[in-house]
Amino acid sequence: MAKAIHSMVRVLDEARSLSFYRTAFGLEIADRLDFETFTLIYLSNPETEFEVELTVNKGRAEPYALGDGYGHLAVSVADLDAERARMVAAGLTPKDIVDFAPGGTPLARFFFIEDPDGYKIEVLQRSGRFK
């Protein structure tokens, strides 16, 4: 079986991105691989082995065009309301919480937040299939 191990996003400003992922999700640098033209930074936390890989292309000054193909990363949390309040208190700008209940059947509670490069991250309440 395949095992999901990381998702990569290209970022413009390393320090700004590291600060965001640390503040929003408690992700810290697990590994850093520095090459001549780019740097790979792997972020993780004790909750999971899955990592977010930040790719910093050296010398890039223009923001990345995300296009219409990128969807989002998703994380789950034990207390959605508390996490959203914590992010707001930290000066981040999460969207409103959505109670998604198609046909009246609750499926998910979530909100979205964007990182400094515009990547969307869905934050889901842990329940059902979202563990």
Side-chain angles (χ1 to χ4, degrees):
M1 288 302 249
K3 177 181 173 183
I5 59 170
H6 75 256
S7 182
M8 183 276 280
V9 294
R10 288 181 174 84
V11 300
L12 188 61
D13 184 320
E14 177 181 335
R16 185 176 68 166
S17 294
L18 288 173
S19 176
F20 170 82
Y21 283 98
R22 181 180 300 112
T23 301
F25 304 111
L27 296 176
E28 298 291 344
I29 297 173
D31 201 2
R32 180 187 182 90
L33 304 174
D34 194 38
F35 300 96
E36 184 178 335
T37 60
F38 64 95
T39 299
L40 305 177
I41 305 164
Y42 295 91
L43 306 177
S44 67
N45 69 27
E47 289 285 327
T48 179
E49 293 180 20
F50 187 83
E51 296 178 320
V52 174
E53 173 190 339
L54 305 181
T55 296
V56 182
N57 290 305
K58 296 177 182 178
R60 175 139 184 143
E62 302 265 332
Y64 289 95
L66 301 185
D68 60 3
Y70 175 78
H72 63 268
L73 295 173
V75 300
S76 67
V77 297
D79 186 336
L80 189 72
D81 297 286
E83 282 301 303
R84 186 180 180 286
R86 183 188 62 75
M87 289 182 187
V88 169
L92 302 177
T93 55
K95 305 292 185 202
D96 292 336
I97 291 176
V98 173
D99 288 299
F100 186 60
T105 303
L107 179 63
R109 286 189 83 227
F110 62 89
F111 65 84
F112 278 90
I113 189 167
E114 291 185 16
D115 83 352
D117 292 278
Y119 293 105
K120 291 181 172 120
I121 302 158
E122 182 180 21
V123 182
L124 290 141
Q125 175 70 49
R126 285 188 190 135
S127 67
R129 75 172 322 275
F130 306 113
K131 296 180 177 152

